[in-house]
Amino acid sequence: MLLKKAICFTMALTMLSVSAYARPSDNYVFTSQSSGGETKTISASPSNYGKIVTSYLYVNDKNTFTVVDASKDTINVDTYDSESYELKDSKKINMELPLFGGFYCGEKYNFIVFGQSNPTESDRVITFKTVKYSKDWKKLGAADYKGNNTLQPFEAGSLRMVEHDGYLYVRTAHKMYKSSDGYNHQSNLTFSVDVERMDMADEYSEIMNANYGYVSHSFDQFVTIDNDKLIALDLGDAYPRSVVLIKYNDSLTDGKFTASNGYCSAIDMLEIPGKTGDNDTGVTLGGLEASKNNYIVAISSIDQKNKSKERDVVLLITGKSDSSPVKQIQITDYTKNQNGLSASKPYLVKLPDGNYELLWEEFSEGSSNGVCYVKIDENGKMLTDIAVLDDAKLSSDCQPICMNNQIVWYINAGTERTFYKLDI
């Protein structure tokens, strides 16, 4: 496929390429002030384990947008002009517990989940705290969660949230109490919160199997809502050893997602060869979307058969019927060519027209070649050629968003913050 290049800092295009995405350089990169933050660029050598997302973007209105950036024991909230990218306001949010778990921009409120370790394995220790804030960041309430078999919250995984019909649904990871074999095992964990009352509505922290939504070990967690039902995605290395899509069969009522008897459909989107419990899966999750007809998962993966060091960007797509087959669509051919090129984890961005932009950073022997991007439909069909934004980088965890008919994300470098933009 023709590889099209959009040059970041000049208006020149390569002679072999004419890109519909090519624009003058000032459409791409902005450097602006921030209240600080750790440098978080994507790595050419992905970790076996997931980690907490600490970089977030959300739109306030047509004039401003906000960055929420957690670094060490500080949560920085910076608001910018959406045209000039000038820093307009900065706040620091107090840590309610020692560990930051994740942020969610809700319909009426903002939310942050905090956590703390529980070395004595006491059911009286609050291991998760969900805090509600007004849109101007005044604390309005909190829901404590304890007695959930948690030694260490967020361990070797991530945390993502979704809001539906007055309830916040949280899917994350934890290291559990010591089991009968003498080990503290890791798995996923799910709970829901009544947004107005800030009470716990439902939770699941028991050891079971994927038919109950339980995955162990679970090294990354995504969650969304589709047709009033909870849909989740986990990266499992044992039970099951797969990229597994979990479809909760019961409709959500009063925040309840659990049921008494087998209430989930577990679909292995990608079975991962290897020994049960081997942490090295060669897979990194990048995104989960529920389209009109399909569930779409974006990953980067080694050649699972030949155990390549290179990684490709792959789409895993299944229809919404339980009997629908899983399609695996390989977007890149780095593993086949073995020319030193490899892909980072991809990001999947839903576009206003119902299609999606797929982005990843391309590496050559560990050095970045820029950010690649291609537009796809819900069936994984590429609607454009692959293009490259030279000299650009992806964040290790900032999900790009759509704003002002552009795709926007940022990376930190000390007190400098660089924003990247792509026209839709």
Side-chain angles (χ1 to χ4, degrees):
M1 176 168 287
L2 180 64
L3 189 66
K4 302 190 289 184
K5 289 184 174 286
I7 306 299
C8 232
F9 298 107
T10 73
M11 294 181 63
L13 298 177
T14 60
M15 293 182 64
L16 296 178
S17 156
V18 178
S19 173
Y21 289 87
R23 295 290 186 274
S25 60
D26 61 0
N27 275 19
Y28 285 121
V29 182
F30 292 84
T31 301
S32 182
Q33 288 184 323
S34 72
S35 55
E38 298 171 348
T39 300
K40 291 176 280 191
T41 54
I42 210 160
S43 173
S45 302
S47 170
N48 292 330
Y49 312 105
K51 69 173 190 173
I52 288 300
V53 178
T54 59
S55 309
Y56 301 85
L57 282 167
Y58 67 91
V59 176
N60 299 302
D61 50 44
K62 66 180 182 180
N63 298 316
T64 63
F65 70 95
T66 294
V67 168
V68 177
D69 190 281
S71 299
K72 296 181 180 178
D73 58 353
T74 301
I75 304 172
N76 301 301
V77 178
D78 296 328
T79 299
Y80 295 87
D81 183 281
S82 57
E83 293 295 333
S84 66
Y85 284 66
E86 176 187 358
L87 180 64
K88 306 295 290 185
D89 181 66
S90 292
K91 294 181 175 67
K92 291 189 181 296
I93 307 302
N94 294 328
M95 294 285 293
E96 298 280 334
L97 291 176
L99 302 174
F100 175 85
F103 161 77
Y104 184 77
C105 177
E107 182 179 349
K108 294 167 58 179
Y109 309 105
N110 291 331
F111 302 92
I112 295 178
V113 176
F114 298 92
Q116 66 179 334
S117 59
N118 180 18
T120 62
E121 299 187 357
S122 170
D123 286 347
R124 292 178 293 180
V125 172
I126 298 167
T127 47
F128 298 90
K129 179 187 284 286
T130 306
V131 182
K132 178 174 73 173
Y133 304 87
S134 64
K135 286 299 183 179
D136 58 356
W137 288 97
K138 293 182 175 63
K139 182 180 175 181
L140 301 177
D144 295 337
Y145 182 27
K146 56 187 177 181
N148 44 45
N149 191 28
T150 298
L151 172 75
Q152 185 74 17
F154 321 131
E155 179 74 6
S158 59
L159 182 149
R160 290 180 175 86
M161 300 178 249
V162 64
E163 187 179 15
H164 177 70
D165 200 22
Y167 293 88
L168 186 70
Y169 297 86
V170 182
R171 194 169 183 91
T172 184
H174 67 153
K175 182 183 286 187
M176 298 179 284
Y177 292 171
K178 187 176 292 184
S179 63
S180 58
D181 64 6
Y183 293 99
N184 294 92
H185 295 287
Q186 188 266 13
S187 76
N188 60 1
L189 174 146
T190 307
F191 64 92
S192 60
V193 176
D194 184 321
V195 166
E196 293 302 328
R197 296 167 56 89
M198 288 309 290
D199 290 333
M200 292 292 297
D202 200 2
E203 62 90 26
Y204 199 89
S205 56
E206 297 178 26
I207 297 174
M208 192 54 74
N209 56 55
N211 289 329
Y212 289 79
Y214 172 88
V215 177
S216 180
H217 304 121
S218 174
F219 292 144
D220 208 352
Q221 301 80 34
F222 286 78
V223 65
T224 190
I225 304 290
D226 182 52
N227 292 324
D228 294 324
K229 295 181 180 180
L230 197 66
I231 309 295
L233 182 74
D234 291 73
L235 174 58
D237 78 339
Y239 304 104
R241 186 172 175 82
S242 70
V243 176
V244 58
L245 184 76
I246 305 289
K247 298 163 60 177
Y248 287 76
N249 293 334
D250 288 355
S251 294
L252 300 170
T253 304
D254 298 330
K256 303 292 184 183
F257 57 88
T258 62
S260 57
N261 297 309
Y263 58 91
C264 293
S265 298
I267 302 172
D268 291 322
M269 303 291 281
L270 177 71
E271 294 184 353
I272 300 171
K275 184 179 178 181
T276 298
D278 180 359
N279 296 168
D280 186 1
T281 64
V283 175
T284 303
L285 303 187
L288 166 66
E289 291 286 344
S291 68
K292 180 179 179 181
N293 299 298
N294 299 322
Y295 299 114
I296 309 168
V297 174
I299 67 169
S300 71
S301 177
I302 63 172
D303 181 334
Q304 293 289 339
K305 182 178 179 180
N306 298 309
K307 298 297 180 182
S308 62
K309 68 175 182 178
E310 297 87 5
R311 289 180 175 234
D312 278 314
V313 175
V314 181
L315 295 175
L316 310 174
I317 299 176
T318 187
K320 295 187 176 181
S321 167
D322 285 347
S323 61
S324 296
V326 176
K327 295 191 300 181
Q328 298 181 10
I329 301 173
Q330 194 166 309
I331 299 298
T332 62
D333 55 6
Y334 302 139
T335 59
K336 179 181 178 181
N337 291 338
Q338 295 183 338
N339 55 6
L341 298 180
S342 188
S344 73
K345 79 172 182 180
Y347 286 101
L348 193 59
V349 184
K350 188 171 184 178
L351 303 175
D353 64 2
N355 293 307
Y356 301 87
E357 200 77 29
L358 185 63
L359 302 93
W360 66 96
E361 193 164 338
E362 182 185 87
F363 291 96
S364 177
E365 302 295 342
S367 298
S368 176
N369 290 341
V371 174
C372 301
Y373 54 101
V374 63
K375 187 176 181 178
I376 63 167
D377 67 12
E378 69 163 348
N379 298 306
K381 179 182 177 181
M382 289 191 283
L383 304 177
T384 64
D385 288 335
I386 296 172
V388 181
L389 186 60
D390 285 340
D391 299 317
K393 293 183 177 296
L394 286 173
S395 165
S396 59
D397 61 0
C398 176
Q399 168 67 38
I401 65 169
C402 289
M403 181 177 72
N404 294 340
N405 207 36
Q406 294 172 319
I407 297 170
V408 180
W409 71 95
Y410 79 93
I411 61 171
N412 285 336
T415 58
E416 295 275 307
R417 178 167 288 156
T418 301
F419 293 96
Y420 294 93
K421 303 196 305 181
L422 287 173
D423 289 340
I424 296 175

